[in-house]
Amino acid sequence: MGGNSSNGSGSKNNGPKNQGPWGQPPRGGNNNTPPELDELLRKSQQKLKQVLPGGFGPLGFVIVVALLFIGWLATGIYVVQPAEQGVVLRFGKAVSTSLPGINYHLPYPIETVLTPNVLTVRQTSVGTNARTGQAESHMLTGDENIVDVNFTVFWRIKADGAADYLFNVQQPSVTVKMIAESAIREIVGRSNLQPILTQARQETEENVKLLMQSSLDGYVSGIEITQVQLQKVEPPAEVIDSFNDVQAAVIDQERMVNEAQAYSNQVIPQAEGNAQQIVQRAEAYKQSVVAEATGQAARFISVYNEYAKAPEVTRDRIYLETMEKVYGRTNKIILDSDGNGVVPYLPLNELNKSNKGAN
C-alpha cells in the first residue's frame, strides 16, 4: 500500500508544469495572467497611444491621473428621492442631512450617504406572534380581569430624526413592538375592564400613543408614532360565552334605567306644572279674599263714620236695608199697623206676581 501511495504521489508531482488544475494546458501565452486581462491591457495601451500625442509618456500619465481624480470626485454626486432624506457620514459619523434632489458629498471613502425613507408610514401589529401564531395579548386590568387586546401601531421617521433612527436604534420594528406591548399593559393595568370594552377605546388609544412617544423620545430614536388603532378588545376565548351573558344583562339593566329615566323626565315636569298651577290658583284666591275683606272693612268703616254722625238715621237705614234683603225674596206683604192708604181687599199677591212678570 505504501508503494502504491508513493507512485500515486509521484505521478502528481511529475506531471507537466504548464497544465491547469484539471490537467488542461492554460489558454494564452502568459502562465500568470489570464489572457482576457492581457488583451484588455493591450487594447487600452493602443487607445491611449491614439489619443495621447507622442504616446503614453509623462503627459499621458498626468492626463490619466487627472481623469481618475475627476472620476473620483464625481463619486460624491448622489440623488435623494422625494420621500427620502440624506444623512451624510464622514468616516462613519453623521455630520449633516440633505434634502431631496441632487446633492454632493466628499468622495468615498471620506464621506458616504444613507437615504432612509422618512415619509412612508410603517405599521407594527401587536397581539399575535407572527412566527408561532400564539397570542401575546392577554393582559390584566385594574379590576383584576383578563382581557385580550390586539392593536396596530402606525409610525414613521421624524422629519429631523433620520440620523437618530439610523444610529440610536438597532432594530426599529422590534423596538416599537416592545415599547407598544409595555405601554398597552401599563394603560390597561390602570383601567377597568368595562370602559376599555365600550366607551373608553379612543381614550385608551390616545394614552398608549402618548406613552409610546414619550418612551421613544427618551431613547432619542427618531421615531414618531402617528396612530394607535385597537383591533380586538375582548375577554379570552375560554370565557367569552359567560362574558356575553354578563354583557347582555348589563345591556338590559341600562335599557331599564333609560326607560325609567325617560318616564321620570316625562312625569316630573308634568307634576311640577300641576303644582305651579295650584300655587297660582291659590295665589289668585288669596288676592281675591284679601281684596274682598279689604272692601268690606272699608265699607264698614264708612258706615260707622256715617253712624257716628247720625246714629238714629243710620240705624233706621240699616234696618230697612236689612229688611229689604230678608223679605225681598218672599211672597209676604208686610203692612204698617195703621193700614193707612191701603184697601184691605185689594189682591196684592196677584198684583205682585203680575208686576214681577212684567219686569
Side-chain angles (χ1 to χ4, degrees):
M1 293 181 60
N4 293 335
S5 175
S6 174
N7 291 337
S9 61
S11 62
K12 292 181 181 179
N13 295 332
N14 295 331
K17 296 181 179 180
N18 294 331
Q19 289 184 356
W22 290 278
Q24 296 87 357
R27 292 174 294 178
N30 192 343
N31 296 335
N32 298 324
T33 305
E36 293 81 359
L37 184 58
D38 291 341
E39 185 69 17
L40 180 61
L41 292 175
R42 185 178 60 81
K43 291 181 179 180
S44 300
Q45 291 175 357
Q46 291 178 357
K47 290 182 179 180
L48 287 175
K49 289 180 181 179
Q50 295 175 359
V51 173
L52 298 176
F56 188 73
L59 179 60
F61 178 77
V62 172
I63 293 176
V64 170
V65 172
L67 292 176
L68 292 176
F69 182 75
I70 293 173
W72 179 65
L73 292 177
T75 59
I77 300 175
Y78 66 96
V79 177
V80 179
Q81 299 300 324
E84 298 175 344
Q85 185 180 76
V87 179
V88 178
L89 310 179
R90 182 174 299 163
F91 299 114
K93 180 182 179 180
V95 293
S96 63
T97 58
S98 54
L99 299 176
I102 299 177
N103 297 272
Y104 183 80
H105 64 75
L106 297 178
Y108 180 85
I110 300 175
E111 289 184 350
T112 56
V113 65
L114 298 175
T115 56
N117 192 317
V118 296
L119 296 183
T120 299
V121 177
R122 302 163 174 84
Q123 65 180 40
T124 300
S125 297
V126 182
T128 302
N129 193 313
R131 293 178 297 178
T132 63
Q134 296 179 353
E136 299 176 338
S137 55
H138 290 176
M139 305 174 191
L140 190 65
T141 63
D143 52 358
E144 297 183 355
N145 288 306
I146 298 177
V147 64
D148 188 6
V149 181
N150 289 354
F151 65 103
T152 302
V153 179
F154 297 88
W155 57 279
R156 65 183 179 185
I157 304 174
K158 288 184 177 181
D160 57 348
D164 296 333
Y165 173 80
L166 293 172
F167 296 103
N168 293 345
V169 181
Q170 185 174 4
Q171 295 179 323
S173 297
V174 176
T175 302
V176 169
K177 183 174 183 179
M178 295 177 64
I179 291 178
E181 291 179 352
S182 175
I184 191 66
R185 292 182 187 278
E186 180 175 347
I187 298 300
V188 170
R190 298 201 302 252
S191 307
N192 293 334
L193 176 63
Q194 191 63 33
I196 297 175
L197 297 176
T198 54
Q199 73 271 14
R201 292 173 64 97
Q202 185 174 1
E203 181 182 357
T204 302
E205 292 174 348
E206 187 65 22
N207 291 337
V208 172
K209 173 185 173 182
L210 295 177
L211 185 57
M212 288 186 61
Q213 190 64 63
S214 176
S215 299
L216 291 170
D217 291 343
Y219 294 142
V220 195
S221 62
I223 296 175
E224 177 185 5
I225 304 298
T226 60
Q227 184 183 3
V228 174
Q229 186 176 7
L230 294 176
Q231 304 292 339
K232 181 183 72 171
V233 182
E234 60 186 24
E238 295 80 4
V239 297
I240 188 66
D241 294 335
S242 300
F243 182 80
N244 290 336
D245 293 339
V246 174
Q247 287 297 106
V250 172
I251 293 174
D252 291 340
Q253 178 186 3
E254 293 179 352
R255 177 179 56 81
M256 293 179 181
V257 170
N258 292 335
E259 292 176 355
Q261 187 66 34
Y263 178 74
S264 173
N265 294 337
Q266 178 183 358
V267 171
I268 291 178
Q270 184 177 359
E272 290 178 349
N274 294 336
Q276 188 67 23
Q277 188 177 8
I278 294 173
V279 170
Q280 291 176 356
R281 286 201 300 263
E283 186 67 25
Y285 176 74
K286 169 188 173 183
Q287 293 177 359
S288 174
V289 171
V290 170
E292 183 178 359
T294 302
Q296 291 179 356
R299 179 176 176 274
F300 179 81
I301 292 173
S302 65
V303 170
Y304 176 76
N305 292 333
E306 294 296 328
Y307 174 79
K309 294 178 182 178
E312 293 295 333
V313 175
T314 304
R315 186 185 303 112
D316 292 342
R317 182 174 62 83
I318 292 174
Y319 175 78
L320 292 176
E321 290 177 354
T322 304
M323 289 297 103
E324 182 182 3
K325 291 181 181 179
V326 171
Y327 293 107
R329 293 187 293 274
T330 65
N331 295 325
K332 300 291 183 181
I333 302 298
I334 306 298
L335 298 177
D336 191 2
S337 61
D338 296 335
N340 296 328
V342 177
V343 180
Y345 297 102
L346 186 66
L348 295 178
N349 291 334
E350 286 74 6
L351 291 174
N352 189 20
K353 292 179 181 179
S354 62
N355 290 333
K356 289 182 178 180
N359 293 331

